[in-house]
Amino acid sequence: RMVAAVLAGLSLLSLLTCGYLAWGSRRGGAGEAPGDLLGEEPAAGAPRSQPHIIFILADDQGFRDVGYHGSEIRTPTLDKLAAEGVKLENYYVQPMCTPSRSQLITGKYQIHTGLQHSIIRPTQPNCLPLDNVTLPQKLKEVGYSTHMVGKWHLGFYRRECMPTQRGFDSFFGSLLGSGDYYTHFKCDSPGICGYDLYENDNAAWDHDNGIYSTQMYTQKVQQILASHNPRKPIFLYIAYQAVHSPLQAPGRYFEHYRSINNINRRRYAAMLACLDEAINNVTLALRKYGYYENSIIIYSSDNGGQPMAGGSNWPLRGSKGTYWEGGIRAVGFVHSPLLKNKGSVCKELVHITDWFPTLITLAEGQIDEDIQLDGYDVWETISEGRRSPRVDILHNIDPIYTKAKNGSWAAGYGIWNTAIQSAIRVNHWKLLTGNPGYSDWVPPQAFSNAGPNRWHNERVSWSAGKTVWLFNITADPYERVDLSARHPEVVKQLLRRLSQFNKTAVPVRYPPKDPRSNPKLNGGVWGPWFKEDEKKKKSDKSKGANKQKKMKNKKKAS
């Protein structure tokens, strides 16, 4: 009875924890007064029925790090957009950059693209597999102009992997996962350094003016909107670098956060304040140039925050890079004049893969029957408050992540090897196996000192050898009470579901680094290094060798 009461209390608390979104300001800066969020909508003629789609993806924004989730960091733009739209309060992404981006752009789980382990490293000959149809490609089929501004992080070792080859009419941004916000340089390891700012398929040296990337990307978005005809549908994917490390921000954004002693948290706050203002600028541009009334703005973080880099996921457990809620439950919302239930909160299950079918359907596109999607069309769920068609989420199965020492088939009832890192959600239940990652709860007071203070963190000491966890996320969103011992039948059901998913998995793509990737061999720039002519020469040689073997075999046979 006591446990039931605790879970009921936690369930009530979970209903009080809310969601996300953002706006931008003028002249590419980031800061207009919060009251100046609404510009005038000029007459732009009758809009087409296909909506303009603006998808804004923040990087490493923590679950708590938005004003309407109780943060001390001011986000007036995000708060206003979310309040006037639909807050997604049961919204999930992946725990790291590449996985979330790949699932957004394909509508498929990682196990179905081969990207189920870690991220794509700069020196790896790897990218989003070329046989996957992408969201911008599908939108182009129905007349959309498609543009990407910001961070790609889906591989670039071949030219065919570049954004402009994957469906975008234009690309301005970075190929890697991180880099300096002003110089746009990135060192992957000592001596392996290069420039990482691109315009379409070439290094954007002309734009290397020391402008902070959040502001520079916003200026580019404004230029795109100013030059495009608002009577024709546009898909604009804005993947900001902020608030990913390195922690850098223009000086004026520190003004309201001098009182934060923790230097990482203070810098992070300034970065988020700049991002909030940038989104205000984007929204003002949508209004100014006649897009807003027929637009859908979606805001999302790509994963949870990293406490060691200033991010906060409180009251959720864990952090970026983990399958605890703090790593995968994200800030997210939809803002649009086209929404039916404006000013509402959606508590239905939504996952980042759902944007692919949802947006294609809104764009009046067709989803090919042979595309095996993992996402669902959730527009009616968001706009009208209907039940979500989604009842489960495969958070991931990573067969090559460090195995849990005490995991075994026996611990998985002969159904699953619990040494393997995996996580799945089915209705109210969430199961984790293997090594789920850093599991502390990091409360706000952890940021009260000059440096990270783990004395404030809450921990649970698991019994030795534990490799299975079960939570009722609806009643216990903070993952305080492990129910695996109390509900073995539920554990077995979820392990069987994991096993079913695993049967559909493709091999993991995680190749070793290629020395040819060194920017020194490419004019000091990170970029495609795999040359097609080299591939042809090798294939021609192999074909020639095969022909010679066949001729010899024929002679022997005769």
Side-chain angles (χ1 to χ4, degrees), residues 64-65 71-74 212 243 246-275 306-312 444 446-452:
R64 182 173 174 265
D65 297 329
S71 177
E72 79 278 24
I73 302 173
R74 302 175 188 179
Y212 187 66
V243 285
L247 301 178
Q248 299 171 291
R252 67 188 181 96
Y253 296 100
F254 288 84
E255 181 181 344
H256 297 295
Y257 304 106
R258 304 287 180 196
S259 61
I260 299 178
N261 291 325
N262 183 293
I263 185 63
N264 285 350
R265 183 67 175 171
R266 191 189 319 150
R267 289 171 177 165
Y268 178 97
M271 294 168 75
L272 186 56
C274 182
L275 176 64
Q306 175 54 269
M308 298 299 287
S312 175
F447 298 102
S448 60
N449 299 316

Side-chain angles (χ1 to χ4, degrees), residues 39 66 197 204 338 461 470:
V66 67
L197 182 64
L338 308 178
S461 297
L470 177 71

